[in-house]
Amino acid sequence: MTAVYHFAPTLQDGKVLTMATSFATVTTTERRFPLNIHFPLSPVANQRLKIVASPAGTLPVQEYRADLQGPLDKYMPGKSRREFQMDEAIFSQGDQASAVFYIQSGSVKLTVVSSSGKEATIAHLPAGSFFGEACMAGELLRDASANALQPSTIIRIDKMAMQNLLGREPEFARQFRSYLLARNVRMQADLVDQLFNSSEKRLARLLMLMANFGQETKPVPVIAKISQETLADMIGTTRSRVSFFLNRFRSLGYIDYNCGGMVIHSSLINIVLHD
C-alpha cells in the first residue's frame, strides 16, 4: 500500500503555512490488519450526526457559506467563472500552478498518476470546496489532475488575486484557514479509516460523507451518478467488491437509486458503526 500526500497552504497573520490535506492509497487488495477498529467520522462531525428513521427526501438546494461565497461573488481582476461538463479536465498533472479554484456547484475528482502509469484518486470534492491552493505555498507545477465528476461551475482565482483577497478580507481569510484545517482533520480521519476499516465500512463511510451526513451543512442524500471504478479507487478495493457491497446496501434498504443518482438513507450509519 502506497500513501501519496498532497500539501495545501493556509495563512496565519499574513504568513503562509503548509500542511498535508489529502492522501490516496494505490491498492486493489483488502486490508491486511487483523484489527477490528472502526473510525466512522471525525468526533466533531459524529456529534452532529442525527439518525432519521424515515428515508431521505429529494435533493435539496446546496447551501453555501456566505462568508466564503460572498467575497467571491464580488468583481475582482483575475477572477473568472466557467462551466465544466462531466469528466472534463479542469487542469492536468504537470500544468503550471498559478491559480486557486472554488467549486460553486457540482463536484470534482483529484487524481495522481505515478511514473509507472498507475492512477490513484486523491479526493472527491463537493460544492463549496477549494482546490489547487498549493500554488499559494510555492507549487510551480500541478502534482495532481482535477476533473469534474458532474456538470460543475468552477471559479478560478489567480494566485495574486487570491493573495490580495486574503489580505483585504480578514473574515474570509479566517474562514479559508478554518476550511483548510477542517479538511486536514478529515484527511487524517480518512487515513485511519483506510488503515483499519474493512472495505465495506470504508464504502459506507465514503457514501455518507459524500451525502454530507454528519457535516455542518444540510445533508444532500442524493449522490450524482459516480462510477463504481471511481468509488473503488477512493476506498482502495476492486470494482467487483464495490458492486457487491452496493447491492447488499440496497437489499438492506440503506441506499436506493432514482433518476438523479444514488439515494443515501441515514440508516447506512449502521454499517459504519457495526463492530
Side-chain angles (χ1 to χ4, degrees), residues 86-87 107 124 148-151 210 222-228 230-231 257-262:
M86 182 182 296
D87 296 327
S107 58
H124 168 281
L149 273 173
Q150 62 188 103
M210 289 174 65
V222 177
I223 298 175
K225 295 179 181 178
I226 181 171
S227 70
Q228 294 182 359
T230 298
L231 291 174
Y257 297 92
N258 63 20
C259 58
M262 187 187 303

Side-chain angles (χ1 to χ4, degrees), residues 89-145:
I90 301 167
F91 59 73
S92 298
Q93 189 172 336
D95 286 353
Q96 183 179 4
S98 58
V100 178
F101 296 84
Y102 178 79
I103 308 172
Q104 189 173 39
S105 65
S107 58
V108 170
K109 178 179 72 170
L110 301 182
T111 58
V112 293
V113 178
S114 69
S115 57
S116 61
K118 183 176 293 186
E119 182 178 285
T121 298
I122 296 176
H124 168 281
L125 301 175
S129 300
F130 288 92
F131 62 100
E133 69 278 359
C135 68
M136 303 290 290
E139 179 186 67
L140 300 178
L141 300 176
R142 299 294 184 191
D143 61 1
S145 298

